[in-house]
């Protein structure tokens, strides 16, 4: 079981740090953090008080935690990001990653470390496990601590957008959730945009770093009047770079209903492919992209499919390459 406080078995490549002034137990920190100048000094045995220029152990530990927030998403989420408990709507709890969230965040973070393109389509055929909530938290963390870029969330309706905006406002210590489609994030100096797929051209002309197409199986668009336009409008505003992120996610039918190999003939005109899929879903555009992501040599094959129904199969298929010794990632100290 993973422990977000110690970092044991948490997402990302990790290294072990033993420092009694920090913790009596070993800490398992993101590998990227190992190259930070302060961590290097701790590894060489320097005093915690000296490294963080602190007067007390408590203030030094707080400074260490602030540094760790920058590198360790799972730690930040458990300490800083609060969500509404699905079991009790009156209860606000920290975001401690469940096994499904841990799985796809691990893939995303390891590929980010390797500077691989962050383009994903995440699917499942079962009930809620917090995929949308976790992606929103990850984008906010990236936006706030790593690369200061605008984000965009496209959802099925204003009703489905409201809880996502509520989580962000809670993090920003705002009591009122604005009706506006944009929320400014002071620490990042950037904006988080929210919209529905029914206004597909809303985001045109805005440079984006992070795009999240949320719960796409709920987009009722059997004739694709808006879904593909909403997708192209936002995706075209994102640079093809490892420090950007585009995620599509939603439910798909079970295998016995959605036999993917029957929908991978992309020589067939698009409108016919939609007709073949519309009896399976409200959003055939989404299922078409799932099939596309699983078909080699397709123009949109840069989408990596993470199927939460087949986590072990996916883990064998996904290649995560270690960086050469001299090709360490670039980050702040």
């Amino acid at each position: 079981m993973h422990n977000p406080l110690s970092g044991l078995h948490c997402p990302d490549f990790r290294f072990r740090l033993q420092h009694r002034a920090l913790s009596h137990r070993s800490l398992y920190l993101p590998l990227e953090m190992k190259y930070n100048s302060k961590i290097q000094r701790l590894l060489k045995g320097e005093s915690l008080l000296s490294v963080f220029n602190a007067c007390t152990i408590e203030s030094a530990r707080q400074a260490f935690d602030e540094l760790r927030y920058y590198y360790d998403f799972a730690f930040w989420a458990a300490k800083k990001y609060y969500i509404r408990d699905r079991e009790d709507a009156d209860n606000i709890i920290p975001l401690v990653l469940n096994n499904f969230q841990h799985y796809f965040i691990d893939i995303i973070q390891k590929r980010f470390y390797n500077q691989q393109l962050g383009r994903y389509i995440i699917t499942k055929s079962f009930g809620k496990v917090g995929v949308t909530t976790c992606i929103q938290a990850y984008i906010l963390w990236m936006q706030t601590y790593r690369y200061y870029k605008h984000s965009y969330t496209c959802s099925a309706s204003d009703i489905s957008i409201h809880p996502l905006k509520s989580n962000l406002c809670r993090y920003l210590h705002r009591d009122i959730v604005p009706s506006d489609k944009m929320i400014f994030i002071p620490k990042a100096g950037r904006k988080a945009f929210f919209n529905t797929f029914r206004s597909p051209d809303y985001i045109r002309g805005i440079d984006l770093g992070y795009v999240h197409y949320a719960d796409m199986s709920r987009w009722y668009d059997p004739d694709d009047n808006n879904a593909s336009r909403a997708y192209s409008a936002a995706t075209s505003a994102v640079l093809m770079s490892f420090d950007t992120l585009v995620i599509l996610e939603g439910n798909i039918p079970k295998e016995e209903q959605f036999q993917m190999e029957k929908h991978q003939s992309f020589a067939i005109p698009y409108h016919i492919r939609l007709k073949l899929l519309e009896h399976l879903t409200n959003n055939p555009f989404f299922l078409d992209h799932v099939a596309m992501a699983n078909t080699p040599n397709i123009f949109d094959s840069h989408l990596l499919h993470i199927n939460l129904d087949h986590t072990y199969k996916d883990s064998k298929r996904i290649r995560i390459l270690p960086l050469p010794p001299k090709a360490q990632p670039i980050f702040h100290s």
Side-chain angles (χ1 to χ4, degrees):
M1 187 66 180
H2 51 275
N3 183 333
L5 300 184
S6 70
L8 183 64
H9 301 314
C10 280
D12 210 345
F13 298 115
R14 302 235 162 203
F15 75 100
R16 183 180 178 186
L17 173 66
Q18 286 184 298
H19 201 290
R20 295 304 292 267
L22 276 174
S23 172
H24 291 292
R25 296 183 179 182
S26 297
L27 296 178
Y28 298 85
L29 306 175
L31 185 57
E32 194 177 6
M33 194 174 179
K34 186 176 182 179
Y35 302 102
N36 180 277
S37 59
K38 289 184 172 66
I39 302 303
Q40 286 287 312
R41 290 165 64 186
L42 289 177
L43 288 169
K44 292 175 182 177
E46 193 171 335
S47 160
L48 184 67
L49 296 177
S50 172
V51 169
F52 289 98
N53 193 26
C55 298
T56 65
I57 290 295
E58 289 73 18
S59 60
R61 287 173 177 171
Q62 288 176 3
F64 172 81
D65 285 352
E66 288 296 329
L67 177 64
R68 188 175 170 186
Y69 292 146
Y70 179 88
Y71 296 95
D72 196 338
F73 167 70
F75 178 71
W76 170 86
K79 296 274 283 186
K80 290 289 187 179
Y81 195 79
Y82 290 85
I83 61 174
R84 197 170 294 280
D85 188 351
R86 195 165 65 244
E87 304 299 325
D88 179 2
D90 294 327
N91 193 24
I92 302 298
I93 58 174
L95 175 59
V96 177
L97 304 188
N98 62 39
N99 290 337
F100 294 103
Q101 295 165 336
H102 175 282
Y103 174 71
F104 67 77
I105 289 294
D106 186 51
I107 293 172
I108 292 171
Q109 289 205 277
K110 285 177 177 175
R111 285 175 55 87
F112 174 80
Y113 180 91
N114 283 316
Q115 300 183 11
Q116 294 172 284
L117 187 64
R119 301 292 183 270
Y120 304 97
I121 187 163
I122 302 175
T123 67
K124 57 184 176 61
S125 64
F126 46 88
K128 294 182 178 181
V129 293
V131 174
T132 301
T133 298
C134 185
I135 292 170
Q136 283 289 291
Y138 183 76
I139 288 175
L140 174 62
W141 174 75
M142 286 289 291
Q143 194 175 17
T144 304
Y145 286 93
R146 307 311 305 266
Y147 293 92
Y148 307 139
K149 303 173 187 288
H150 299 307
S151 66
Y152 177 61
T153 300
C154 187
S155 189
S157 66
D158 290 329
I159 294 174
S160 59
I161 284 175
H162 189 269
L164 304 178
K165 292 167 70 175
S166 296
N167 289 339
L168 175 55
C169 289
R170 187 180 301 112
Y171 175 77
L172 297 174
H173 304 292
R174 298 179 185 174
D175 296 328
I176 298 175
V177 179
S179 58
D180 193 64
K181 293 182 178 181
M182 180 276 294
I183 297 176
F184 182 72
I185 303 172
K187 188 170 182 178
R190 295 296 183 270
K191 299 172 182 177
F193 295 93
F194 297 86
N195 193 36
T196 74
F197 77 99
R198 298 186 184 281
S199 304
D201 299 315
Y202 163 72
I203 205 67
R204 289 194 188 277
I206 300 174
D207 293 331
L208 301 171
Y210 312 103
V211 174
H212 177 196
Y213 302 101
D215 210 356
M216 293 185 74
S217 47
R218 295 194 176 192
W219 297 14
Y220 185 76
D221 198 13
D223 298 320
D224 188 21
N225 293 319
N226 294 311
S228 59
R229 285 174 58 195
Y231 174 76
S232 61
T235 304
S236 62
V238 183
L239 292 176
M240 293 287 283
S241 172
F242 85 98
D243 58 348
T244 62
L245 188 65
V246 175
I247 298 181
L248 299 75
E249 49 98 356
N251 280 27
I252 59 174
K254 294 187 179 297
E255 280 188 354
E256 56 269 23
Q257 297 172 293
F258 178 42
Q259 297 175 8
M260 196 178 303
E261 64 277 5
K262 294 183 178 181
H263 302 279
Q264 292 177 310
S265 299
F266 293 97
I268 298 174
Y270 177 60
H271 70 280
I272 296 178
R273 299 205 308 271
L274 292 192
K275 287 293 182 184
L276 296 173
L277 289 167
E278 66 179 11
H279 71 286
L280 295 172
T281 178
N282 289 331
N283 185 0
F285 169 84
F286 177 62
L287 281 191
D288 189 60
H289 270 63
V290 173
M292 196 179 296
N294 286 275
T295 308
N297 305 318
I298 295 297
F299 69 94
D300 235 356
S301 60
H302 58 263
L303 281 174
L304 178 66
H305 183 203
I306 301 176
N307 187 346
L308 298 183
D309 291 71
H310 301 151
T311 54
Y312 295 108
K313 292 180 183 179
D314 279 352
S315 64
K316 293 177 181 178
R317 180 173 60 85
I318 294 167
R319 298 183 66 211
I320 299 173
L321 306 176
L323 288 176
K326 294 184 180 179
Q328 295 165 0
I330 299 172
F331 49 85
H332 303 296
S333 62

